[in-house]
Amino acid sequence: MPAMVSNTAQTAAVSEDLPPASPRIRLADGRYLAYRESGVPKNKANYKIIIVHGFGSSKEMSFLAPQELIDELGIYFLLYDRAGYGESDPNPKRSVKSEALDIEELADQLELGLKFYVIGVSMGSYPTWSCIKHIPHRLAGVALVVPVVNYRWPSLPDHLIKDDYRRKLIKWGLFFAEFAPGLLRWWVTQKWLPSTSVLERNPVFFNSRDIEVLKTIPGFPMLSQEKLRQQGVFDTLHHDFKLAFSRWDFDPMDLSNPFPQNQSSVHIWQGYEDKVVPFLLQRYISFKLPWIQYHEVPDGGHLIVHYAGLCEAILRALLLGEEHLHYKPTIAKIVS
């Protein structure tokens, strides 16, 4: 039976008048970051992994891994609430770089050692890309699971993105987030709009396997109209979205291999049927950065992290260098 590295409840920003329920560290700038530890005890671990949650999630996200594998390899997991999420304080100076520096300071205060692994899921990938850019010397290995693609990266070829409807949706979302956040908040909290339960089962966003998964997990309660009416929750999501899809201080396709001696590796895991992030762009990125090991789930959507056996495959590839042939693309991944 797989062990749940975290329980499946997802939380919104904690009310200021409620005491924190989770341990927290105080960062150098005075903010607090909440975290949760799982796996084997830290002092007995052979592998220390920080998991970075995505949009509308928290340190309570699900990451399923077999207990036998965790014990056999000696894996310690550290999950934390990114700035403004869960029980962590917002960062008024939040940037793509600050996300990586939060991870580094969290690792230092919890004494993870000189190097640690990072797994970023969905929108948790932009802090993970930032780690490769800003703190590569601290990384023992990296995995990006269905990572978001920022259509403003200068090196993305126009023929792959010009007709992508997701690009247009993000463009309009950024416009309202920048110039009319009040209108955006009003729009997403109207009672006549579909509930998140309807959106979660919408084939526009999820394939059939994702929809089956959504029948067994809580979904995205932070994105409910009730939660979005809370100013703190809306502000966190609003700022996170803007940061992920606005201009960054670097283009990932200009990055150098953080492991030039092949002492470790970077991985991308992508669903072939992902309707949130197109697989063609992930293939292009892995072609431009040949030091990235690319894995593709043939019938996978955007929620592959919840698929049975997938987290084990991610860990085996990242920690042991094992390649599961089922996730090796069967057609050429080169996209010209």
Side-chain angles (χ1 to χ4, degrees), residues 282-302:
Q282 305 290 20
R283 290 183 178 186
Y284 178 81
I285 292 166
S286 65
F287 167 64
K288 296 294 289 184
L289 301 175
W291 42 267
I292 289 181
Q293 298 183 30
Y294 179 70
H295 315 265
E296 196 169 274
V297 182
D299 57 350
H302 193 64

Side-chain angles (χ1 to χ4, degrees), residues 134-196:
H134 295 293
I135 57 168
H137 58 290
R138 303 301 307 275
L139 302 175
V142 177
L144 301 108
V145 184
V146 292
V148 295
V149 173
N150 186 336
Y151 289 90
R152 293 194 176 191
W153 294 344
S155 53
L156 287 178
D158 188 62
H159 73 275
L160 285 181
I161 62 176
K162 64 178 180 179
D163 296 324
D164 192 330
Y165 70 90
R166 287 156 290 218
R167 180 192 186 193
K168 297 174 182 177
L169 290 175
I170 291 169
K171 180 179 179 181
W172 280 109
L174 284 173
F175 175 84
F176 284 105
E178 181 68 29
F179 299 107
L183 180 61
L184 179 63
R185 185 184 178 204
W186 173 84
W187 175 263
V188 299
T189 57
Q190 292 307 295
K191 293 183 178 180
W192 44 266
L193 285 176
S195 67
T196 54

Side-chain angles (χ1 to χ4, degrees), residues 66-88:
Q67 189 63 50
E68 295 84 356
L69 182 68
I70 294 172
D71 294 336
E72 175 189 350
L73 298 184
I75 305 173
Y76 161 89
F77 295 97
L78 176 61
L79 300 98
Y80 74 104
D81 290 328
R82 295 197 287 123
Y85 280 97
E87 296 173 286
S88 290

Side-chain angles (χ1 to χ4, degrees), residues 8-294:
T8 54
Q10 293 174 301
T11 58
V14 69
S15 173
E16 293 182 358
D17 59 354
L18 293 176
S22 304
R24 302 193 298 174
I25 64 162
R26 187 173 184 179
L27 300 171
D29 62 6
R31 291 182 294 117
Y32 285 92
L33 280 187
Y35 65 91
R36 191 170 63 78
E37 300 168 289
S38 189
V40 304
K42 181 171 52 182
N43 61 354
K44 297 181 179 179
N46 298 316
Y47 302 98
K48 298 169 183 176
I49 302 176
I50 297 177
I51 298 180
V52 190
H53 69 79
F55 189 72
S57 187
S58 75
K59 66 183 182 303
E60 309 301 332
M61 65 164 284
S62 299
F63 191 86
L64 303 177
Q67 189 63 50
E68 295 84 356
L69 182 68
I70 294 172
D71 294 336
E72 175 189 350
L73 298 184
I75 305 173
Y76 161 89
F77 295 97
L78 176 61
L79 300 98
Y80 74 104
D81 290 328
R82 295 197 287 123
Y85 280 97
E87 296 173 286
S88 290
D89 293 335
N91 182 1
K93 298 181 180 180
R94 187 177 194 171
S95 67
V96 173
K97 183 176 182 178
S98 75
E99 292 281 306
L101 299 182
D102 280 359
I103 291 172
E104 182 177 36
E105 192 169 351
L106 176 67
D108 286 342
Q109 290 206 33
L110 294 182
E111 300 180 337
L112 297 196
L114 180 61
K115 292 180 180 290
F116 46 86
Y117 293 83
V118 177
I119 298 176
V121 180
S122 191
M123 201 177 286
S125 62
Y126 82 81
T128 308
W129 280 117
S130 186
C131 286
I132 298 174
K133 168 64 176 179
H134 295 293
I135 57 168
H137 58 290
R138 303 301 307 275
L139 302 175
V142 177
L144 301 108
V145 184
V146 292
V148 295
V149 173
N150 186 336
Y151 289 90
R152 293 194 176 191
W153 294 344
S155 53
L156 287 178
D158 188 62
H159 73 275
L160 285 181
I161 62 176
K162 64 178 180 179
D163 296 324
D164 192 330
Y165 70 90
R166 287 156 290 218
R167 180 192 186 193
K168 297 174 182 177
L169 290 175
I170 291 169
K171 180 179 179 181
W172 280 109
L174 284 173
F175 175 84
F176 284 105
E178 181 68 29
F179 299 107
L183 180 61
L184 179 63
R185 185 184 178 204
W186 173 84
W187 175 263
V188 299
T189 57
Q190 292 307 295
K191 293 183 178 180
W192 44 266
L193 285 176
S195 67
T196 54
S197 62
V198 174
L199 294 175
E200 285 167 359
R201 287 156 180 78
N202 192 325
V204 171
F205 304 106
F206 301 109
N207 75 341
S208 58
R209 197 168 175 187
D210 284 347
I211 292 173
E212 286 301 311
V213 164
L214 285 164
K215 295 176 182 178
T216 63
I217 66 173
F220 309 96
M222 193 173 178
L223 304 181
S224 69
Q225 293 166 354
E226 177 185 356
K227 291 296 184 182
L228 287 169
R229 291 190 185 99
Q230 299 177 19
Q231 188 67 50
V233 171
F234 177 81
D235 288 345
T236 291
L237 296 173
H238 169 223
H239 294 151
D240 199 24
F241 179 84
K242 283 180 59 179
L243 202 54
F245 296 111
S246 296
R247 295 195 184 280
W248 295 7
D249 61 321
F250 65 96
D251 185 334
M253 280 170 281
D254 292 332
L255 292 174
S256 300
N257 185 355
F259 310 111
Q261 306 303 319
N262 295 320
Q263 63 271 42
S264 191
S265 52
V266 179
H267 301 255
I268 286 179
W269 288 82
Q270 175 65 29
Y272 179 77
E273 297 179 3
D274 191 334
K275 298 183 180 183
V276 178
V277 184
F279 74 91
L280 284 175
L281 291 182
Q282 305 290 20
R283 290 183 178 186
Y284 178 81
I285 292 166
S286 65
F287 167 64
K288 296 294 289 184
L289 301 175
W291 42 267
I292 289 181
Q293 298 183 30
Y294 179 70

